[in-house]
Amino acid sequence: MASKYSFPFSKFKFFSGLFFILINVASAQLSSNFYATTCPKALATIKSEVKSAVSKEARMGASLLRLHFHDCFVNGCDASILLDDTANIKGEKKAGPNKHSVRGYKVIDNVKSRLERLCPGVVSCADIVAVAARDSVVALGGPSWTVLLGRRDSTTASFKAANSNLPSPFLNLSGLIKAFSKKGFTAKEMVALSGSHTIGKARCVSFRPRIYSEKTIDSSFATSLKAKCPRRGGVNNLSPLDTRSPTLFDNAYFKNLKSHKGLLHSDQQLFSGGSTDSQVNAYSSNLGYFRTDFAKAMVKMGNLSPPTGKRGQIRKNCRKVN
Ligand code: HEM
Ligand SMILES: *[C@@H]1O[C@H](CO)[C@@H](O)[C@H](O)[C@H]1NC(C)=O
């Protein structure tokens, strides 16, 4: 640079550098009013679509909540779970924890097509999933929280990370604590988030060993489950995760654990003489406490390293990279 420009240039450099830093910090953060001017009807559109899906089938609320969890735990909340397989992308949909199990893709597609008509290219699939999870919990009587927005969508997916980052129902307590601590969650937050299993269903294959060979299960509960989940076959037969109130987002899940009626091995691990027993006791006796902690932990989960600013893209079709 010629010396006669050096004074104004260095000044420009200083301010542009400062500006650059500010923009980057701002873009790396999510905000609750992200679509206020660019798509003011975004939130109402998502809510109405979720409400109608949940009123047609209550379980869809559970499925949409789980969809968000399985998105966020695999390379952040970036809608990577929604990408279909292509010649270049081995997607997450066929990974063990998701295959024949994760649902709700069609509801997200419906929301997305309405939003593309309203405000083309503006609302990310990752934000739709995050808001749909919140609206689902609310639709089933659970707590609400403010969803921070501004996530962008990934251009890649990871079959491998989906297989390794999502917790298995056959983990013991230390395995569960470890899986969540890898994502920055405390054991207490892991217990709160597991309260999600107060809604929705699981397949026979996910709890068969528990009902046939574990001692930490109420025997009449085990017997009743065997009718639908035989020793062989029936892999996809469903049972509610919370038998008391399967479509109500309450704290019955924790009450079940106290009477050894957790459906999954991993569920019962939270109350089997270990370090999380006291937390299960606390949530089972205080619904308000559970609701508050659950909402806080959901906000934290929704903030798991989403692409923001210029990273990623706003997909036009949630199933495909633009
Ligand atoms: C603590 C570790 C967790 C394990 C081991 C686990 C495992 C599972 C398994 C095996 C199923 C049944 C899948 C099937 O059989 O098809 C399930 C269902 C479900 N999970 Fe989890 N999960 C965990 C944590 C969570 C979290 C953190 C959330 C949400 C924030 C969540 C939400 C759900 C919901 C709502 C369902 C029912 C889905 C439906 O009915 O479509 N789970 N989970
Ligand atoms: C939990 O599971 C891990 C891995 O399967 C195992 O190494 C560990 O010993 C188990 N811990 C307890 C307390 O059973």
Side-chain angles (χ1 to χ4, degrees), residues 12 15 19 27 32 37 63 113 115 123 143 145 169 185 201 205 211 215 231 249 257-258 260 278 288 321:
F12 169 74
F15 283 110
F19 186 65
S27 67
S32 60
T37 56
S63 304
S113 49
L115 289 178
V123 184
W145 59 91
F185 292 94
K201 295 177 182 183
V205 67
I211 63 174
K215 292 188 179 97
R231 278 184 188 276
F249 197 100
L257 299 186
K258 290 188 70 175
H260 304 282
S278 58
V321 171

mmCIF file with all atom_site columns, all heavy atoms in Angstrom, residues 12 15 19 27 32 37 63 113 115 123 143 145 169 185 201 205 211 215 231 249 257-258 260 278 288 321:
data_model
loop_
_atom_site.group_PDB
_atom_site.id
_atom_site.type_symbol
_atom_site.label_atom_id
_atom_site.label_alt_id
_atom_site.label_comp_id
_atom_site.label_asym_id
_atom_site.label_entity_id
_atom_site.label_seq_id
_atom_site.pdbx_PDB_ins_code
_atom_site.Cartn_x
_atom_site.Cartn_y
_atom_site.Cartn_z
_atom_site.occupancy
_atom_site.B_iso_or_equiv
_atom_site.pdbx_formal_charge
_atom_site.auth_seq_id
_atom_site.auth_comp_id
_atom_site.auth_asym_id
_atom_site.auth_atom_id
_atom_site.pdbx_PDB_model_num
ATOM 1   N N   . PHE A 1 12  ? -9.134  2.743   8.561  1.00 0.00 ? 12  PHE A N   1
ATOM 2   C CA  . PHE A 1 12  ? -10.172 1.908   7.954  1.00 0.00 ? 12  PHE A CA  1
ATOM 3   C C   . PHE A 1 12  ? -10.021 0.464   8.423  1.00 0.00 ? 12  PHE A C   1
ATOM 4   O O   . PHE A 1 12  ? -10.981 -0.202  8.801  1.00 0.00 ? 12  PHE A O   1
ATOM 5   C CB  . PHE A 1 12  ? -10.069 1.987   6.418  1.00 0.00 ? 12  PHE A CB  1
ATOM 6   C CG  . PHE A 1 12  ? -10.914 0.972   5.717  1.00 0.00 ? 12  PHE A CG  1
ATOM 7   C CD1 . PHE A 1 12  ? -12.310 1.130   5.654  1.00 0.00 ? 12  PHE A CD1 1
ATOM 8   C CD2 . PHE A 1 12  ? -10.360 -0.169  5.158  1.00 0.00 ? 12  PHE A CD2 1
ATOM 9   C CE1 . PHE A 1 12  ? -13.084 0.188   5.030  1.00 0.00 ? 12  PHE A CE1 1
ATOM 10  C CE2 . PHE A 1 12  ? -11.151 -1.120  4.541  1.00 0.00 ? 12  PHE A CE2 1
ATOM 11  C CZ  . PHE A 1 12  ? -12.512 -0.938  4.473  1.00 0.00 ? 12  PHE A CZ  1
ATOM 12  N N   . PHE A 1 15  ? -11.289 0.064   11.976 1.00 0.00 ? 15  PHE A N   1
ATOM 13  C CA  . PHE A 1 15  ? -12.747 0.032   12.119 1.00 0.00 ? 15  PHE A CA  1
ATOM 14  C C   . PHE A 1 15  ? -13.382 -1.153  11.400 1.00 0.00 ? 15  PHE A C   1
ATOM 15  O O   . PHE A 1 15  ? -14.310 -1.763  11.910 1.00 0.00 ? 15  PHE A O   1
ATOM 16  C CB  . PHE A 1 15  ? -13.367 1.358   11.646 1.00 0.00 ? 15  PHE A CB  1
ATOM 17  C CG  . PHE A 1 15  ? -13.185 2.437   12.667 1.00 0.00 ? 15  PHE A CG  1
ATOM 18  C CD1 . PHE A 1 15  ? -12.329 3.499   12.438 1.00 0.00 ? 15  PHE A CD1 1
ATOM 19  C CD2 . PHE A 1 15  ? -13.842 2.358   13.892 1.00 0.00 ? 15  PHE A CD2 1
ATOM 20  C CE1 . PHE A 1 15  ? -12.143 4.482   13.401 1.00 0.00 ? 15  PHE A CE1 1
ATOM 21  C CE2 . PHE A 1 15  ? -13.647 3.340   14.853 1.00 0.00 ? 15  PHE A CE2 1
ATOM 22  C CZ  . PHE A 1 15  ? -12.797 4.407   14.613 1.00 0.00 ? 15  PHE A CZ  1
ATOM 23  N N   . PHE A 1 19  ? -15.584 -3.962  13.048 1.00 0.00 ? 19  PHE A N   1
ATOM 24  C CA  . PHE A 1 19  ? -16.875 -4.270  12.455 1.00 0.00 ? 19  PHE A CA  1
ATOM 25  C C   . PHE A 1 19  ? -16.984 -5.774  12.175 1.00 0.00 ? 19  PHE A C   1
ATOM 26  O O   . PHE A 1 19  ? -17.960 -6.423  12.518 1.00 0.00 ? 19  PHE A O   1
ATOM 27  C CB  . PHE A 1 19  ? -17.012 -3.471  11.143 1.00 0.00 ? 19  PHE A CB  1
ATOM 28  C CG  . PHE A 1 19  ? -18.363 -3.580  10.502 1.00 0.00 ? 19  PHE A CG  1
ATOM 29  C CD1 . PHE A 1 19  ? -19.494 -3.067  11.138 1.00 0.00 ? 19  PHE A CD1 1
ATOM 30  C CD2 . PHE A 1 19  ? -18.501 -4.174  9.258  1.00 0.00 ? 19  PHE A CD2 1
ATOM 31  C CE1 . PHE A 1 19  ? -20.735 -3.162  10.540 1.00 0.00 ? 19  PHE A CE1 1
ATOM 32  C CE2 . PHE A 1 19  ? -19.747 -4.278  8.656  1.00 0.00 ? 19  PHE A CE2 1
ATOM 33  C CZ  . PHE A 1 19  ? -20.853 -3.770  9.303  1.00 0.00 ? 19  PHE A CZ  1
ATOM 34  N N   . SER A 1 27  ? -23.325 -12.956 14.403 1.00 0.00 ? 27  SER A N   1
ATOM 35  C CA  . SER A 1 27  ? -23.849 -14.010 13.548 1.00 0.00 ? 27  SER A CA  1
ATOM 36  C C   . SER A 1 27  ? -23.688 -15.389 14.179 1.00 0.00 ? 27  SER A C   1
ATOM 37  O O   . SER A 1 27  ? -24.359 -16.328 13.805 1.00 0.00 ? 27  SER A O   1
ATOM 38  C CB  . SER A 1 27  ? -23.177 -13.977 12.188 1.00 0.00 ? 27  SER A CB  1
ATOM 39  O OG  . SER A 1 27  ? -21.824 -14.323 12.338 1.00 0.00 ? 27  SER A OG  1
ATOM 40  N N   . SER A 1 32  ? -34.136 -14.702 19.402 1.00 0.00 ? 32  SER A N   1
ATOM 41  C CA  . SER A 1 32  ? -35.541 -15.109 19.391 1.00 0.00 ? 32  SER A CA  1
ATOM 42  C C   . SER A 1 32  ? -36.342 -14.403 18.303 1.00 0.00 ? 32  SER A C   1
ATOM 43  O O   . SER A 1 32  ? -37.364 -14.901 17.847 1.00 0.00 ? 32  SER A O   1
ATOM 44  C CB  . SER A 1 32  ? -36.167 -14.832 20.759 1.00 0.00 ? 32  SER A CB  1
ATOM 45  O OG  . SER A 1 32  ? -36.084 -13.453 21.030 1.00 0.00 ? 32  SER A OG  1
ATOM 46  N N   . THR A 1 37  ? -38.678 -9.615  10.884 1.00 0.00 ? 37  THR A N   1
ATOM 47  C CA  . THR A 1 37  ? -38.943 -8.791  9.697  1.00 0.00 ? 37  THR A CA  1
ATOM 48  C C   . THR A 1 37  ? -38.937 -9.615  8.408  1.00 0.00 ? 37  THR A C   1
ATOM 49  O O   . THR A 1 37  ? -39.651 -9.294  7.474  1.00 0.00 ? 37  THR A O   1
ATOM 50  C CB  . THR A 1 37  ? -37.916 -7.642  9.566  1.00 0.00 ? 37  THR A CB  1
ATOM 51  O OG1 . THR A 1 37  ? -36.612 -8.223  9.540  1.00 0.00 ? 37  THR A OG1 1
ATOM 52  C CG2 . THR A 1 37  ? -38.018 -6.676  10.737 1.00 0.00 ? 37  THR A CG2 1
ATOM 53  N N   . SER A 1 63  ? -42.700 -37.804 18.284 1.00 0.00 ? 63  SER A N   1
ATOM 54  C CA  . SER A 1 63  ? -41.779 -38.053 17.171 1.00 0.00 ? 63  SER A CA  1
ATOM 55  C C   . SER A 1 63  ? -41.038 -36.780 16.764 1.00 0.00 ? 63  SER A C   1
ATOM 56  O O   . SER A 1 63  ? -39.839 -36.821 16.459 1.00 0.00 ? 63  SER A O   1
ATOM 57  C CB  . SER A 1 63  ? -42.548 -38.640 15.985 1.00 0.00 ? 63  SER A CB  1
ATOM 58  O OG  . SER A 1 63  ? -43.225 -39.822 16.397 1.00 0.00 ? 63  SER A OG  1
ATOM 59  N N   . SER A 1 113 ? -42.922 -26.383 2.979  1.00 0.00 ? 113 SER A N   1
ATOM 60  C CA  . SER A 1 113 ? -43.510 -25.905 1.728  1.00 0.00 ? 113 SER A CA  1
ATOM 61  C C   . SER A 1 113 ? -44.422 -24.710 1.960  1.00 0.00 ? 113 SER A C   1
ATOM 62  O O   . SER A 1 113 ? -44.459 -23.797 1.142  1.00 0.00 ? 113 SER A O   1
ATOM 63  C CB  . SER A 1 113 ? -44.172 -27.022 0.913  1.00 0.00 ? 113 SER A CB  1
ATOM 64  O OG  . SER A 1 113 ? -45.021 -27.768 1.710  1.00 0.00 ? 113 SER A OG  1
ATOM 65  N N   . LEU A 1 115 ? -43.861 -22.453 4.285  1.00 0.00 ? 115 LEU A N   1
ATOM 66  C CA  . LEU A 1 115 ? -42.960 -21.317 4.520  1.00 0.00 ? 115 LEU A CA  1
ATOM 67  C C   . LEU A 1 115 ? -42.254 -20.869 3.248  1.00 0.00 ? 115 LEU A C   1
ATOM 68  O O   . LEU A 1 115 ? -41.963 -19.677 3.081  1.00 0.00 ? 115 LEU A O   1
ATOM 69  C CB  . LEU A 1 115 ? -41.945 -21.660 5.615  1.00 0.00 ? 115 LEU A CB  1
ATOM 70  C CG  . LEU A 1 115 ? -42.534 -21.751 7.028  1.00 0.00 ? 115 LEU A CG  1
ATOM 71  C CD1 . LEU A 1 115 ? -41.464 -22.155 8.044  1.00 0.00 ? 115 LEU A CD1 1
ATOM 72  C CD2 . LEU A 1 115 ? -43.174 -20.427 7.452  1.00 0.00 ? 115 LEU A CD2 1
ATOM 73  N N   . VAL A 1 123 ? -36.504 -19.322 5.979  1.00 0.00 ? 123 VAL A N   1
ATOM 74  C CA  . VAL A 1 123 ? -36.530 -20.068 7.247  1.00 0.00 ? 123 VAL A CA  1
ATOM 75  C C   . VAL A 1 123 ? -35.818 -21.421 7.096  1.00 0.00 ? 123 VAL A C   1
ATOM 76  O O   . VAL A 1 123 ? -36.169 -22.222 6.231  1.00 0.00 ? 123 VAL A O   1
ATOM 77  C CB  . VAL A 1 123 ? -37.984 -20.287 7.734  1.00 0.00 ? 123 VAL A CB  1
ATOM 78  C CG1 . VAL A 1 123 ? -37.999 -20.967 9.096  1.00 0.00 ? 123 VAL A CG1 1
ATOM 79  C CG2 . VAL A 1 123 ? -38.730 -18.948 7.805  1.00 0.00 ? 123 VAL A CG2 1
ATOM 80  N N   . PRO A 1 143 ? -44.198 -27.924 29.170 1.00 0.00 ? 143 PRO A N   1
ATOM 81  C CA  . PRO A 1 143 ? -43.778 -26.536 29.340 1.00 0.00 ? 143 PRO A CA  1
ATOM 82  C C   . PRO A 1 143 ? -43.407 -25.881 28.010 1.00 0.00 ? 143 PRO A C   1
ATOM 83  O O   . PRO A 1 143 ? -43.121 -26.577 27.034 1.00 0.00 ? 143 PRO A O   1
ATOM 84  C CB  . PRO A 1 143 ? -42.536 -26.661 30.219 1.00 0.00 ? 143 PRO A CB  1
ATOM 85  C CG  . PRO A 1 143 ? -41.958 -27.991 29.853 1.00 0.00 ? 143 PRO A CG  1
ATOM 86  C CD  . PRO A 1 143 ? -43.146 -28.879 29.591 1.00 0.00 ? 143 PRO A CD  1
ATOM 87  N N   . TRP A 1 145 ? -40.932 -22.809 26.036 1.00 0.00 ? 145 TRP A N   1
ATOM 88  C CA  . TRP A 1 145 ? -39.680 -22.069 26.163 1.00 0.00 ? 145 TRP A CA  1
ATOM 89  C C   . TRP A 1 145 ? -39.496 -21.242 24.907 1.00 0.00 ? 145 TRP A C   1
ATOM 90  O O   . TRP A 1 145 ? -40.153 -21.480 23.899 1.00 0.00 ? 145 TRP A O   1
ATOM 91  C CB  . TRP A 1 145 ? -38.485 -23.023 26.372 1.00 0.00 ? 145 TRP A CB  1
ATOM 92  C CG  . TRP A 1 145 ? -38.269 -24.025 25.270 1.00 0.00 ? 145 TRP A CG  1
ATOM 93  C CD1 . TRP A 1 145 ? -37.477 -23.882 24.160 1.00 0.00 ? 145 TRP A CD1 1
ATOM 94  C CD2 . TRP A 1 145 ? -38.830 -25.357 25.177 1.00 0.00 ? 145 TRP A CD2 1
ATOM 95  N NE1 . TRP A 1 145 ? -37.522 -25.026 23.394 1.00 0.00 ? 145 TRP A NE1 1
ATOM 96  C CE2 . TRP A 1 145 ? -38.337 -25.948 23.990 1.00 0.00 ? 145 TRP A CE2 1
ATOM 97  C CE3 . TRP A 1 145 ? -39.701 -26.098 25.995 1.00 0.00 ? 145 TRP A CE3 1
ATOM 98  C CZ2 . TRP A 1 145 ? -38.695 -27.240 23.592 1.00 0.00 ? 145 TRP A CZ2 1
ATOM 99  C CZ3 . TRP A 1 145 ? -40.048 -27.385 25.580 1.00 0.00 ? 145 TRP A CZ3 1
ATOM 100 C CH2 . TRP A 1 145 ? -39.538 -27.943 24.401 1.00 0.00 ? 145 TRP A CH2 1
ATOM 101 N N   . PRO A 1 169 ? -30.287 -47.588 23.996 1.00 0.00 ? 169 PRO A N   1
ATOM 102 C CA  . PRO A 1 169 ? -31.129 -47.916 25.161 1.00 0.00 ? 169 PRO A CA  1
ATOM 103 C C   . PRO A 1 169 ? -30.521 -49.019 26.025 1.00 0.00 ? 169 PRO A C   1
ATOM 104 O O   . PRO A 1 169 ? -31.059 -49.337 27.072 1.00 0.00 ? 169 PRO A O   1
ATOM 105 C CB  . PRO A 1 169 ? -32.441 -48.381 24.517 1.00 0.00 ? 169 PRO A CB  1
ATOM 106 C CG  . PRO A 1 169 ? -32.052 -48.861 23.148 1.00 0.00 ? 169 PRO A CG  1
ATOM 107 C CD  . PRO A 1 169 ? -30.886 -48.000 22.725 1.00 0.00 ? 169 PRO A CD  1
ATOM 108 N N   . PHE A 1 185 ? -23.552 -31.757 28.572 1.00 0.00 ? 185 PHE A N   1
ATOM 109 C CA  . PHE A 1 185 ? -24.660 -31.795 29.537 1.00 0.00 ? 185 PHE A CA  1
ATOM 110 C C   . PHE A 1 185 ? -24.251 -32.463 30.843 1.00 0.00 ? 185 PHE A C   1
ATOM 111 O O   . PHE A 1 185 ? -23.485 -33.429 30.846 1.00 0.00 ? 185 PHE A O   1
ATOM 112 C CB  . PHE A 1 185 ? -25.858 -32.555 28.947 1.00 0.00 ? 185 PHE A CB  1
ATOM 113 C CG  . PHE A 1 185 ? -26.508 -31.821 27.807 1.00 0.00 ? 185 PHE A CG  1
ATOM 114 C CD1 . PHE A 1 185 ? -26.133 -32.088 26.499 1.00 0.00 ? 185 PHE A CD1 1
ATOM 115 C CD2 . PHE A 1 185 ? -27.476 -30.860 28.044 1.00 0.00 ? 185 PHE A CD2 1
ATOM 116 C CE1 . PHE A 1 185 ? -26.712 -31.403 25.434 1.00 0.00 ? 185 PHE A CE1 1
ATOM 117 C CE2 . PHE A 1 185 ? -28.061 -30.175 26.992 1.00 0.00 ? 185 PHE A CE2 1
ATOM 118 C CZ  . PHE A 1 185 ? -27.687 -30.439 25.686 1.00 0.00 ? 185 PHE A CZ  1
ATOM 119 N N   . LYS A 1 201 ? -43.565 -43.753 21.898 1.00 0.00 ? 201 LYS A N   1
ATOM 120 C CA  . LYS A 1 201 ? -43.519 -45.216 21.931 1.00 0.00 ? 201 LYS A CA  1
ATOM 121 C C   . LYS A 1 201 ? -42.162 -45.760 21.544 1.00 0.00 ? 201 LYS A C   1
ATOM 122 O O   . LYS A 1 201 ? -41.380 -45.081 20.879 1.00 0.00 ? 201 LYS A O   1
ATOM 123 C CB  . LYS A 1 201 ? -44.555 -45.772 20.938 1.00 0.00 ? 201 LYS A CB  1
ATOM 124 C CG  . LYS A 1 201 ? -45.980 -45.436 21.339 1.00 0.00 ? 201 LYS A CG  1
ATOM 125 C CD  . LYS A 1 201 ? -46.975 -45.935 20.315 1.00 0.00 ? 201 LYS A CD  1
ATOM 126 C CE  . LYS A 1 201 ? -48.388 -45.527 20.750 1.00 0.00 ? 201 LYS A CE  1
ATOM 127 N NZ  . LYS A 1 201 ? -49.400 -46.043 19.824 1.00 0.00 ? 201 LYS A NZ  1
ATOM 128 N N   . VAL A 1 205 ? -37.918 -54.311 19.799 1.00 0.00 ? 205 VAL A N   1
ATOM 129 C CA  . VAL A 1 205 ? -36.480 -54.567 19.713 1.00 0.00 ? 205 VAL A CA  1
ATOM 130 C C   . VAL A 1 205 ? -35.677 -53.690 20.685 1.00 0.00 ? 205 VAL A C   1
ATOM 131 O O   . VAL A 1 205 ? -34.584 -54.059 21.099 1.00 0.00 ? 205 VAL A O   1
ATOM 132 C CB  . VAL A 1 205 ? -35.985 -54.367 18.249 1.00 0.00 ? 205 VAL A CB  1
ATOM 133 C CG1 . VAL A 1 205 ? -36.100 -52.903 17.825 1.00 0.00 ? 205 VAL A CG1 1
ATOM 134 C CG2 . VAL A 1 205 ? -34.580 -54.887 18.054 1.00 0.00 ? 205 VAL A CG2 1
ATOM 135 N N   . ILE A 1 211 ? -37.401 -57.024 29.277 1.00 0.00 ? 211 ILE A N   1
ATOM 136 C CA  . ILE A 1 211 ? -38.594 -57.697 29.815 1.00 0.00 ? 211 ILE A CA  1
ATOM 137 C C   . ILE A 1 211 ? -38.406 -59.204 29.988 1.00 0.00 ? 211 ILE A C   1
ATOM 138 O O   . ILE A 1 211 ? -39.152 -59.835 30.713 1.00 0.00 ? 211 ILE A O   1
ATOM 139 C CB  . ILE A 1 211 ? -39.861 -57.389 28.980 1.00 0.00 ? 211 ILE A CB  1
ATOM 140 C CG1 . ILE A 1 211 ? -39.741 -57.905 27.544 1.00 0.00 ? 211 ILE A CG1 1
ATOM 141 C CG2 . ILE A 1 211 ? -40.161 -55.890 28.993 1.00 0.00 ? 211 ILE A CG2 1
ATOM 142 C CD1 . ILE A 1 211 ? -41.037 -57.756 26.726 1.00 0.00 ? 211 ILE A CD1 1
ATOM 143 N N   . LYS A 1 215 ? -33.895 -58.078 36.290 1.00 0.00 ? 215 LYS A N   1
ATOM 144 C CA  . LYS A 1 215 ? -34.544 -58.227 37.591 1.00 0.00 ? 215 LYS A CA  1
ATOM 145 C C   . LYS A 1 215 ? -35.089 -56.897 38.101 1.00 0.00 ? 215 LYS A C   1
ATOM 146 O O   . LYS A 1 215 ? -35.912 -56.860 39.020 1.00 0.00 ? 215 LYS A O   1
ATOM 147 C CB  . LYS A 1 215 ? -33.537 -58.788 38.606 1.00 0.00 ? 215 LYS A CB  1
ATOM 148 C CG  . LYS A 1 215 ? -33.159 -60.225 38.262 1.00 0.00 ? 215 LYS A CG  1
ATOM 149 C CD  . LYS A 1 215 ? -32.321 -60.876 39.365 1.00 0.00 ? 215 LYS A CD  1
ATOM 150 C CE  . LYS A 1 215 ? -31.984 -62.303 38.986 1.00 0.00 ? 215 LYS A CE  1
ATOM 151 N NZ  . LYS A 1 215 ? -30.632 -62.413 38.389 1.00 0.00 ? 215 LYS A NZ  1
ATOM 152 N N   . ARG A 1 231 ? -40.649 -63.381 22.470 1.00 0.00 ? 231 ARG A N   1
ATOM 153 C CA  . ARG A 1 231 ? -39.213 -63.679 22.514 1.00 0.00 ? 231 ARG A CA  1
ATOM 154 C C   . ARG A 1 231 ? -38.549 -63.546 21.149 1.00 0.00 ? 231 ARG A C   1
ATOM 155 O O   . ARG A 1 231 ? -37.398 -63.180 21.035 1.00 0.00 ? 231 ARG A O   1
ATOM 156 C CB  . ARG A 1 231 ? -38.980 -65.097 23.034 1.00 0.00 ? 231 ARG A CB  1
ATOM 157 C CG  . ARG A 1 231 ? -39.024 -65.180 24.526 1.00 0.00 ? 231 ARG A CG  1
ATOM 158 C CD  . ARG A 1 231 ? -38.701 -66.594 25.013 1.00 0.00 ? 231 ARG A CD  1
ATOM 159 N NE  . ARG A 1 231 ? -38.933 -66.700 26.446 1.00 0.00 ? 231 ARG A NE  1
ATOM 160 C CZ  . ARG A 1 231 ? -38.041 -66.337 27.371 1.00 0.00 ? 231 ARG A CZ  1
ATOM 161 N NH1 . ARG A 1 231 ? -36.864 -65.866 27.002 1.00 0.00 ? 231 ARG A NH1 1
ATOM 162 N NH2 . ARG A 1 231 ? -38.339 -66.443 28.654 1.00 0.00 ? 231 ARG A NH2 1
ATOM 163 N N   . PHE A 1 249 ? -47.598 -34.750 28.438 1.00 0.00 ? 249 PHE A N   1
ATOM 164 C CA  . PHE A 1 249 ? -46.237 -34.403 28.853 1.00 0.00 ? 249 PHE A CA  1
ATOM 165 C C   . PHE A 1 249 ? -46.240 -33.985 30.326 1.00 0.00 ? 249 PHE A C   1
ATOM 166 O O   . PHE A 1 249 ? -46.346 -32.814 30.665 1.00 0.00 ? 249 PHE A O   1
ATOM 167 C CB  . PHE A 1 249 ? -45.640 -33.292 27.975 1.00 0.00 ? 249 PHE A CB  1
ATOM 168 C CG  . PHE A 1 249 ? -44.142 -33.215 28.102 1.00 0.00 ? 249 PHE A CG  1
ATOM 169 C CD1 . PHE A 1 249 ? -43.323 -33.793 27.140 1.00 0.00 ? 249 PHE A CD1 1
ATOM 170 C CD2 . PHE A 1 249 ? -43.555 -32.615 29.199 1.00 0.00 ? 249 PHE A CD2 1
ATOM 171 C CE1 . PHE A 1 249 ? -41.932 -33.761 27.273 1.00 0.00 ? 249 PHE A CE1 1
ATOM 172 C CE2 . PHE A 1 249 ? -42.170 -32.580 29.346 1.00 0.00 ? 249 PHE A CE2 1
ATOM 173 C CZ  . PHE A 1 249 ? -41.360 -33.150 28.377 1.00 0.00 ? 249 PHE A CZ  1
ATOM 174 N N   . LEU A 1 257 ? -40.437 -44.904 36.946 1.00 0.00 ? 257 LEU A N   1
ATOM 175 C CA  . LEU A 1 257 ? -39.099 -45.402 37.289 1.00 0.00 ? 257 LEU A CA  1
ATOM 176 C C   . LEU A 1 257 ? -39.059 -45.831 38.753 1.00 0.00 ? 257 LEU A C   1
ATOM 177 O O   . LEU A 1 257 ? -38.449 -46.851 39.097 1.00 0.00 ? 257 LEU A O   1
ATOM 178 C CB  . LEU A 1 257 ? -38.031 -44.332 37.023 1.00 0.00 ? 257 LEU A CB  1
ATOM 179 C CG  . LEU A 1 257 ? -37.876 -43.841 35.578 1.00 0.00 ? 257 LEU A CG  1
ATOM 180 C CD1 . LEU A 1 257 ? -36.686 -42.889 35.469 1.00 0.00 ? 257 LEU A CD1 1
ATOM 181 C CD2 . LEU A 1 257 ? -37.708 -45.003 34.609 1.00 0.00 ? 257 LEU A CD2 1
ATOM 182 N N   . LYS A 1 258 ? -39.722 -45.063 39.613 1.00 0.00 ? 258 LYS A N   1
ATOM 183 C CA  . LYS A 1 258 ? -39.727 -45.384 41.039 1.00 0.00 ? 258 LYS A CA  1
ATOM 184 C C   . LYS A 1 258 ? -40.433 -46.697 41.319 1.00 0.00 ? 258 LYS A C   1
ATOM 185 O O   . LYS A 1 258 ? -40.140 -47.365 42.309 1.00 0.00 ? 258 LYS A O   1
ATOM 186 C CB  . LYS A 1 258 ? -40.371 -44.248 41.843 1.00 0.00 ? 258 LYS A CB  1
ATOM 187 C CG  . LYS A 1 258 ? -39.497 -43.004 41.865 1.00 0.00 ? 258 LYS A CG  1
ATOM 188 C CD  . LYS A 1 258 ? -40.031 -41.965 42.819 1.00 0.00 ? 258 LYS A CD  1
ATOM 189 C CE  . LYS A 1 258 ? -39.864 -42.416 44.265 1.00 0.00 ? 258 LYS A CE  1
ATOM 190 N NZ  . LYS A 1 258 ? -40.286 -41.357 45.208 1.00 0.00 ? 258 LYS A NZ  1
ATOM 191 N N   . HIS A 1 260 ? -40.284 -49.218 39.187 1.00 0.00 ? 260 HIS A N   1
ATOM 192 C CA  . HIS A 1 260 ? -39.591 -50.177 38.307 1.00 0.00 ? 260 HIS A CA  1
ATOM 193 C C   . HIS A 1 260 ? -40.377 -50.475 37.045 1.00 0.00 ? 260 HIS A C   1
ATOM 194 O O   . HIS A 1 260 ? -40.395 -51.599 36.558 1.00 0.00 ? 260 HIS A O   1
ATOM 195 C CB  . HIS A 1 260 ? -39.230 -51.449 39.084 1.00 0.00 ? 260 HIS A CB  1
ATOM 196 C CG  . HIS A 1 260 ? -38.400 -51.141 40.293 1.00 0.00 ? 260 HIS A CG  1
ATOM 197 N ND1 . HIS A 1 260 ? -37.054 -50.868 40.230 1.00 0.00 ? 260 HIS A ND1 1
ATOM 198 C CD2 . HIS A 1 260 ? -38.764 -50.978 41.599 1.00 0.00 ? 260 HIS A CD2 1
ATOM 199 C CE1 . HIS A 1 260 ? -36.612 -50.553 41.433 1.00 0.00 ? 260 HIS A CE1 1
ATOM 200 N NE2 . HIS A 1 260 ? -37.623 -50.614 42.287 1.00 0.00 ? 260 HIS A NE2 1
ATOM 201 N N   . SER A 1 278 ? -31.704 -39.526 43.283 1.00 0.00 ? 278 SER A N   1
ATOM 202 C CA  . SER A 1 278 ? -32.255 -38.367 43.995 1.00 0.00 ? 278 SER A CA  1
ATOM 203 C C   . SER A 1 278 ? -32.934 -37.406 43.021 1.00 0.00 ? 278 SER A C   1
ATOM 204 O O   . SER A 1 278 ? -33.959 -36.794 43.350 1.00 0.00 ? 278 SER A O   1
ATOM 205 C CB  . SER A 1 278 ? -31.164 -37.654 44.783 1.00 0.00 ? 278 SER A CB  1
ATOM 206 O OG  . SER A 1 278 ? -30.147 -37.249 43.888 1.00 0.00 ? 278 SER A OG  1
ATOM 207 N N   . GLY A 1 288 ? -43.510 -28.986 38.675 1.00 0.00 ? 288 GLY A N   1
ATOM 208 C CA  . GLY A 1 288 ? -43.028 -27.664 38.262 1.00 0.00 ? 288 GLY A CA  1
ATOM 209 C C   . GLY A 1 288 ? -41.509 -27.628 38.102 1.00 0.00 ? 288 GLY A C   1
ATOM 210 O O   . GLY A 1 288 ? -40.975 -27.007 37.187 1.00 0.00 ? 288 GLY A O   1
ATOM 211 N N   . VAL A 1 321 ? -29.782 -30.876 -0.444 1.00 0.00 ? 321 VAL A N   1
ATOM 212 C CA  . VAL A 1 321 ? -28.929 -29.700 -0.483 1.00 0.00 ? 321 VAL A CA  1
ATOM 213 C C   . VAL A 1 321 ? -29.354 -28.886 -1.715 1.00 0.00 ? 321 VAL A C   1
ATOM 214 O O   . VAL A 1 321 ? -29.730 -29.470 -2.734 1.00 0.00 ? 321 VAL A O   1
ATOM 215 C CB  . VAL A 1 321 ? -27.451 -30.160 -0.599 1.00 0.00 ? 321 VAL A CB  1
ATOM 216 C CG1 . VAL A 1 321 ? -26.522 -28.984 -0.859 1.00 0.00 ? 321 VAL A CG1 1
ATOM 217 C CG2 . VAL A 1 321 ? -27.045 -30.905 0.661  1.00 0.00 ? 321 VAL A CG2 1
#
